Amino acid sequence: GRPDDGQAGDMARERPSDDEPLPLAWRRVLVLEDQADSLELVTVLLTQQGAIVRAFDSAEHALAAAEHGSFDLVISDLGMPGMDGLEFMQRLSRHPKPFKSIALTAYADDKYRTQALEAGFTRVVVKPIAPEHFLSVVLAELEPSTGRRDSER
């Protein structure tokens, strides 16, 4: 029989997710965010792209998880009660495991961006989170070949 390339090709184009791996497939991401709606949004966005997400609303619990596991990316809110994102990152940075990191903040001014970068975050995303922009920053952070620092704002 002849190859059945007509219909199979059309179906593959309609559903590329079956043939192409998801952009974040098997990437391990730790998310720390004290606001439930924001935590859920970030978790859903990352999971839909194939990431393996561990989500936390407490810096203490996230720190314990980070000490016992390894992550490709750490995403943390900056403003939280108790241990804030800056202290969390400073404490996390003492561990030798390498990871990329993105800070989430409701404050757009440069003072907070500078504080986040000085604490060890490599990128900053201003809330409210715009899904497409957020995912583009995550992908840029995890793919050094396409990393562009001007895509952060």
Side-chain angles (χ1 to χ4, degrees):
R2 62 186 179 88
D4 195 17
D5 46 38
Q7 292 178 334
D10 291 343
M11 283 177 66
R13 272 195 293 280
E14 285 172 29
R15 294 184 297 140
S17 61
D18 287 354
D19 292 344
E20 297 171 27
L22 291 167
L24 297 176
W26 306 110
R27 297 295 196 132
R28 296 175 312 275
V29 183
L30 183 151
V31 179
L32 170 59
E33 166 64 85
D34 64 315
Q35 294 177 335
D37 55 345
S38 193
L39 181 63
E40 184 178 1
L41 173 62
V42 169
T43 301
V44 167
L45 289 172
L46 294 169
T47 304
Q48 285 175 342
Q49 299 301 312
I52 300 163
V53 179
R54 296 218 36 212
F56 299 91
D57 61 5
S58 139
E60 288 78 9
H61 293 141
L63 204 55
E67 287 172 3
H68 296 100
S70 66
F71 295 90
D72 299 304
L73 180 65
V74 172
I75 299 172
S76 173
D77 186 20
L78 292 182
M80 296 179 290
M83 188 193 311
D84 67 9
L86 297 173
E87 185 184 346
F88 170 73
M89 179 52 67
Q90 287 161 350
R91 290 179 57 180
L92 202 56
S93 297
R94 295 181 199 148
H95 299 285
K97 298 171 193 157
F99 58 87
K100 306 287 184 106
S101 56
I102 297 172
L104 303 177
T105 179
Y107 304 103
D109 78 53
D110 285 340
K111 182 181 88 167
Y112 292 97
R113 180 180 298 276
T114 302
Q115 285 180 337
L117 297 173
E118 286 173 353
F121 286 98
T122 44
R123 290 179 186 255
V124 180
V125 172
V126 177
K127 298 192 289 186
I129 293 165
E132 282 186 25
H133 172 71
F134 172 74
L135 288 173
S136 74
V137 172
V138 167
L139 290 169
E141 188 60 25
L142 288 172
E143 302 298 335
S145 58
T146 59
R148 283 194 8 219
R149 297 200 89 67
D150 62 355
S151 67
E152 296 171 41
R153 285 188 185 268

